[in-house]
Amino acid sequence: MRASRPAVHPVEAPPPAPVAAAQAQAQGEGDGVAHPRGVRMKDPPGAPGTPAGLGLRLAQFFFAAAALAVMASTNDFPSVSAFSYLVAAAILQCLWSLSLAFVDIYALLVKRSLRNARAVCIFTVGDGITGTLTLGAACASAGITVLIGNDLNICAENHCASFETATAMAFISWFALAPSCILNFWSMASR
């Protein structure tokens, strides 16, 4: 007599959702699995809300403040519009960098990520505007400084060393701003 055998297969209970998501990520199946809410990729160094981002903001503030202080220490900077432009751009850079440094400090203290789409957009636009103004002011001041020092040879009558120092500090402030702007733009574009 031929009797058929039952086709019963044992079934395992599915693992809990966070464990299943972790297993799927480990196996490379991250596309179709819902990730637990609030879990994100680590922020890249230098992004807003990270210690490196805070360091960049403080460097931007320090060098812009140094450019402002050196340029303001001379009594004849208002006579040249490029130097006045550098002072205005340095003031704006100081205010922007200091306010974002406070935001970074707050984010670090409460352990929050600043990857909100609106916040990243505001940071990117603000960095782009202040970076463009600071670079333009530094280039204009460098041109006038070269004109005064090399072409007209009237450094004895002016504060050429102070002008050169303030211009160099503005360029360094822009070099500290460039990574912040690039990282913010990258973060905004990767959404």
Side-chain angles (χ1 to χ4, degrees), residues 27-190:
Q27 295 172 357
E29 303 171 3
D31 293 334
V33 177
H35 297 289
R37 187 162 178 81
V39 176
R40 290 189 175 174
M41 180 180 77
K42 282 181 70 176
D43 290 330
T50 62
L54 176 61
L56 284 172
R57 295 294 177 192
L58 292 176
Q60 294 164 20
F61 172 74
F62 173 74
F63 287 114
L68 176 63
V70 170
M71 190 60 80
S73 68
T74 65
N75 57 358
D76 56 348
F77 85 88
S79 63
V80 179
S81 61
F83 296 152
S84 298
Y85 177 40
L86 179 69
V87 168
I91 289 171
L92 180 65
Q93 182 66 47
C94 285
L95 293 173
W96 177 253
S97 297
L98 189 61
S99 63
L100 288 187
F102 288 142
V103 171
D104 283 342
I105 290 170
Y106 173 76
L108 287 171
L109 288 176
V110 297
K111 295 181 171 67
R112 284 280 177 106
S113 175
L114 292 176
R115 296 187 71 185
N116 182 354
R118 279 192 186 149
V120 170
C121 184
I122 290 170
F123 295 161
T124 304
V125 170
D127 282 345
I129 290 170
T130 57
T132 302
L133 291 174
T134 302
L135 181 63
C139 289
S141 296
I144 296 298
T145 303
V146 168
L147 176 72
I148 291 172
N150 295 346
D151 297 339
L152 300 177
N153 291 326
I154 54 173
C155 267
E157 304 167 12
N158 292 307
H159 300 94
C160 284
S162 297
F163 296 153
E164 291 169 355
T165 303
T167 302
M169 293 296 148
F171 274 115
I172 295 171
S173 177
W174 180 80
F175 282 125
L177 177 68
S180 296
C181 187
I182 291 169
L183 285 169
N184 286 333
F185 183 72
W186 176 39
S187 179
M188 185 177 77
S190 67

